[in-house]
Each structure stands twice: as C-alpha cells, then as structure tokens.
Amino acid sequence: MTRRTEWPDSAGFGSAAGDAENRSRRNRGAAPEEDGAARDGGGSLPSRAGSGPPRTPEEQARAICLRLLTGSARTRRQLADALRERGIPDEAAEEVLARFEDVGLIDDAAFADAWVESRHHGRGLARRALARELRTKGVDSALIDEAVGRLDAEQEESTARELVARKLRTTRGLDRDKRLRRLAGMLARKGYPEGLALRVVRRALEEEGEDPDLLDHHLPDA
C-alpha cells in the first residue's frame, strides 16, 4: 500500500459527528444543533440543547454513541455492546445505530481499512494478526477479507524484513540457534506465516555472515 490513513483526532471526529447528526436532524425536520452543542470543552455530548439528562432511550443511545465516537472510531458491534451494557433497549439501540450508519458515523468498512493501515505500519502486524483483531471488534468476515487483502504479500514481506533488521542488533552475541528462535518467534507473534518468517530471518542472518547450512530450519513455538 502506498497511502497511510491517519486516525482522526477527537476534535475533528467530534465535529464530523455533530455535522452529520445535524444533517440527519434537518432531514427529520428538526433544527440543527448549535456548533457548540455538538461538543464542549470537556468532551461531553448532550443529546439536545439545554441542561438535564436525556429522557428517552433513543436520546440516551445517541449521546452514548456520540461520546464514544468522539474518542475514536468504533465498529457497529462495539457501539451495540456499549449500549447493551448501559441498559439501552434493543429496539432503541437498533434505531440509533441504523441512523448513524445512514449518516456515515458508523462505517465498518472504513474502520477495517484504517485499522489495517494503522496497525500494520505502526505495529508491523501481518494479515493473520490483523484479521484476528478485526474479528474481535465484530467486523464482518467479508469486510475483513477485503481490508487485509489490500495488504499484499510484497508489502508484508518488506515489513517483516524491517522488523527483523531492527531486532537483529539486540540478538548479537547470542548463539546462532537462539538468535533464529528469538527473531522467528517475534515474527510469528505478529502473525507472519512460518515459511515467510524463516525465509526472512535466514536471509538476515546469512547477510551477517552466518553459515546457511548450520541454521536451524524449525520455527520455535510462538
């Protein structure tokens, strides 16, 4: 991939949330909120102008979702779980979640794409590990496949080589087999396939002068 997607900061995302919700309110015939009502200095997100707690389950659900989305992007299931934990009835939660999807505040496909780019470039995670993380967040399998599929094998191997190059210097002074186990184990924990991990580690050690015929051919248990 040639482009990195940055996660939106809380202020920018909160503004987008407020703008999109105002459009939704106008579509329903309601007056848009004032600019300052979408978010305040403390990050609270009231459901309507004025003081006092939200009255209806829908208002409560909307306030909860906006507050969570201001902090960071969330999947639909993450928000649904949060609403359930706070006692929001399923019918009210479903109505609010569907409305948020309609105005673009919930977009699991975009979430998956951004997650893959952020976690691959930031943590060096491979496709297998990225898919596992997205599953725990409730992203649909088809969306996961599409997102991780944009990370091609060439980019994955390039990142694996960078990870090994950074770790290699910390293993100098160890015996050959221990270096191999430590480096290959690091890649395995990040989700890299066994064959790729061995190939990358062996190449790095050979470039340092290790005899390829003496290198261990087995990955350690991760």
Side-chain angles (χ1 to χ4, degrees):
M1 290 181 293
T2 58
R3 176 180 60 83
R4 291 186 61 182
T5 299
E6 298 294 334
W7 290 100
D9 60 30
S10 61
F13 198 87
S15 178
D19 291 345
E21 182 60 16
N22 281 339
R23 289 196 299 271
S24 176
R25 289 169 60 85
R26 286 194 293 268
N27 290 338
R28 301 193 305 273
E33 295 175 345
E34 296 295 331
D35 290 342
R39 64 184 188 278
D40 62 19
S44 62
L45 291 152
S47 66
R48 62 187 185 281
S51 59
R55 290 194 296 265
T56 69
E58 290 79 9
E59 288 176 323
Q60 294 177 44
R62 174 178 170 272
I64 291 167
C65 289
L66 284 174
R67 186 160 54 246
L68 292 172
L69 289 170
T70 298
S72 64
R74 309 288 177 122
T75 66
R76 180 181 175 120
R77 197 183 81 178
Q78 286 178 307
L79 293 173
D81 288 346
L83 295 179
R84 190 175 302 110
E85 289 172 2
R86 288 162 174 79
I88 302 298
D90 290 344
E91 185 176 352
E94 178 62 27
E95 178 182 338
V96 170
L97 293 172
R99 185 187 310 160
F100 273 44
E101 282 187 319
D102 288 343
V103 299
L105 294 181
I106 300 175
D107 188 338
D108 282 2
F111 179 97
D113 288 343
W115 187 268
V116 167
E117 290 198 18
S118 174
R119 298 286 283 175
H120 179 72
H121 290 288
R123 297 289 300 278
L125 298 186
R127 287 175 288 190
R128 184 168 58 187
L130 293 165
R132 183 168 58 246
E133 288 187 341
L134 288 170
R135 281 194 297 271
T136 67
K137 296 182 180 301
V139 178
D140 181 78
S141 295
L143 297 180
I144 292 175
D145 291 344
E146 186 175 351
V148 300
R150 294 191 177 96
L151 180 63
D152 59 38
E154 183 179 350
Q155 175 63 58
E156 194 173 51
E157 181 165 346
S158 175
T159 301
R161 289 198 301 267
E162 292 172 4
L163 290 169
V164 169
R166 290 200 297 266
K167 185 75 172 177
L168 196 64
R169 64 178 178 272
T170 68
T171 67
R172 288 171 186 151
L174 301 176
D175 66 74
R176 179 178 54 250
D177 290 345
K178 191 169 185 178
R179 296 185 79 190
L180 176 64
R181 289 195 300 271
R182 184 167 297 184
L183 294 168
M186 177 267 294
L187 291 181
R189 286 188 294 274
K190 290 181 179 290
Y192 289 89
E194 179 176 345
L196 172 61
L198 270 178
R199 183 171 68 252
V200 169
V201 173
R202 281 174 55 83
R203 181 183 303 169
L205 293 177
E206 287 172 17
E207 289 173 353
E208 280 207 339
E210 293 283 0
D211 186 342
D213 293 332
L214 299 178
L215 292 172
D216 188 359
H217 288 267
H218 300 283
L219 263 177
D221 293 333

